[in-house]
């Protein structure tokens, strides 16, 4: 048989008859409410857990921000403490004390020093 050769087929089509109507039964279907209730409880539990996770994440983020703020305050206080220690060292220096004594108090270093001692 050649590939391009076509054959004709005769197909008999039989008309379908309408199915006979079955009498309706009076059986009621009972819904499975226990399964529905379980699904509702599961949904509520999942929603509550999701809310708890969200609230917990918010609290953790808030505490993180507070921690960063406290660390910045501690660093600022440490820098202020270092500056004050440098200022204290400058105020305690002997050259400064000598300058203040000479300028403000009018004191001078004596040219002659006398020592007294008992024999």
């Amino acid at each position: 048989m050649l590939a391009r050769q076509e054959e004709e087929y005769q197909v008999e089509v039989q008309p379908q008859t309408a199915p006979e109507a079955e009498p309706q039964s009076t059986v009621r279907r009972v819904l499975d409410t226990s399964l529905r209730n379980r699904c509702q409880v599961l949904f509520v539990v999942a929603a509550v857990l999701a809310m708890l996770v969200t609230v917990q994440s918010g609290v953790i983020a808030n505490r993180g921000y507070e921690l960063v703020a406290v660390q910045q305050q501690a660093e600022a206080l440490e820098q202020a403490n270092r500056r004050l220690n440098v200022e204290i060292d400058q105020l305690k220096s002997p050259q400064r004390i000598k300058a203040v004594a000479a300028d403000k108090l009018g004191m001078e270093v004596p040219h002659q020093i006398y020592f007294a001692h008992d024999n």
Side-chain angles (χ1 to χ4, degrees):
M1 182 182 307
L2 296 174
R4 293 198 176 246
Q5 205 173 27
E6 295 182 9
E7 294 184 18
E8 293 184 16
Y9 294 103
Q10 289 186 355
V11 178
E12 293 183 22
V13 178
Q14 296 178 355
Q16 293 183 351
T17 59
E20 296 178 16
E22 295 181 14
Q24 290 185 351
S25 62
T26 58
V27 176
R28 294 184 89 184
R29 293 185 181 174
V30 178
L31 294 177
D32 190 6
T33 57
S34 65
L35 180 62
R36 181 188 299 167
N37 290 338
R38 287 180 188 163
C39 290
Q40 287 174 347
V41 168
L42 180 65
F43 177 76
V44 169
V45 168
V48 168
L49 290 177
M51 285 190 290
L52 286 176
V53 168
T54 304
V55 169
Q56 185 180 16
S57 298
V59 168
I60 289 171
N62 191 21
R63 287 184 182 172
Y65 291 134
E66 290 174 2
L67 178 63
V68 168
V70 169
Q71 287 175 342
Q72 289 174 349
Q73 288 177 350
E75 188 174 328
L77 290 174
E78 288 175 1
Q79 288 177 354
N81 192 21
R82 282 188 229 116
R83 280 193 308 257
L84 290 174
N85 283 335
V86 168
E87 188 177 339
I88 288 171
D89 290 341
Q90 289 174 348
L91 292 174
K92 283 185 176 180
S93 71
Q95 294 84 9
R96 184 191 165 279
I97 293 174
K98 183 178 178 183
V100 168
D103 293 340
K104 292 186 179 180
L105 300 176
M107 301 174 93
E108 295 179 1
V109 177
H111 298 289
Q112 294 180 351
I113 301 173
Y114 298 104
F115 292 101
H117 69 305
D118 290 333
N119 281 341

